[in-house]
Structures are given as structure tokens and as C-alpha cells.
Amino acid sequence: MATPVLDCLALAVSSRRATSTWARATTAACWDMVCTSSSSGRPGYLRRALEHGARGFLLKDAPARELAAAIRTVVAGGRAIDPALAASAITEGESPLTPREHDVLRAAMRHDTAAAIAAALHLSEGTVRNYLSAAIQKLGARNRSEAIAHAVEKGWL
């Protein structure tokens, strides 16, 4: 009996919550393969998909012959990863941010002030400012917006 392949066309893995939801929705009997748009083809997204058990990760605009070969490889128990994206993931490395810095920076995407971030995460405003400052410094950004943009571009948020 053939093992099914999860159809993830246009799957958005732009947040850890979406990735975790996706991972929980899959079953052990399913080979996971992500075919995504080029805007989601970022090293951080690839890392998270692989961490959650994806066996394949390709851009959906790849030639049909490549997509078909990748699906056959995944169904046969192998891995099929876009080579350029794999090289980017290796050279760019993992996020330099701690899990809490990720949380604070992600919350900063939704909240305008340190007070609002602090309330959402149950932290003090000073602690939020410290985490934001550390994230900004680690990412080589000039401000919170630039740090968020950089982390999103890398697929870390």
C-alpha cells in the first residue's frame, strides 16, 4: 500500500504557529512535502519544515519534471530539497535570537508599544525593552522595524 503525500501547495509557513499547526495536522502515515511560493522559500521556513518532519521542500514554480521526481523520491522514503534553498540555509545559519527574543520580536509585529508587548507576554516594560534591544543588536538593525523586517526576510519570524 502506498504512503500518501500531504498536498501542501500554497502552504504558508510564515509563523511558528502556522508551522506547528501544520505539523500537528499531519499524521505519521503521511510523507510530508512542502511545495511553496517563492516568497515562502526562505532558509528559516525550510529549517522549520524539516524540524517538523517534512521530507521534501520545493518551490512550486519548479519545472513539472522536477516536482514529479521530488514526489516520487519522497514517496520512496527519500528527501527532496531545493538545492539553492538548502545552500542558503547552510550558509545563513540559524537565527541568532533566543526563543524569548523571538517571542518579543514577534509580539512587536502586532503591538506598537513596549507596554502593549509587555502586557501581551506578561513581562515588564523594561524586560521587553531589553529583549528588543538585544534582538536589534544581534540582527545588526537600527530599530525595531528593521529588525522585524530582517528576521522575516530570513524566515526566522
Side-chain angles (χ1 to χ4, degrees), residues 22-86:
W22 164 71
R24 283 191 304 273
T26 62
T27 66
C30 185
W31 294 109
D32 302 326
M33 181 161 173
V34 177
C35 294
T36 187
S37 66
S38 58
S39 65
S40 295
R42 297 182 180 143
Y45 297 160
L46 170 61
R47 281 184 190 282
R48 286 200 302 263
L50 294 175
E51 287 169 3
H52 288 292
R55 309 272 308 180
F57 196 100
L58 294 154
L59 299 180
K60 67 182 178 183
D61 57 358
R65 184 171 281 138
E66 286 181 27
L67 289 173
I71 290 170
R72 283 192 291 276
T73 298
V74 169
V75 168
R79 289 192 179 272
I81 309 296
D82 180 88
L85 193 54

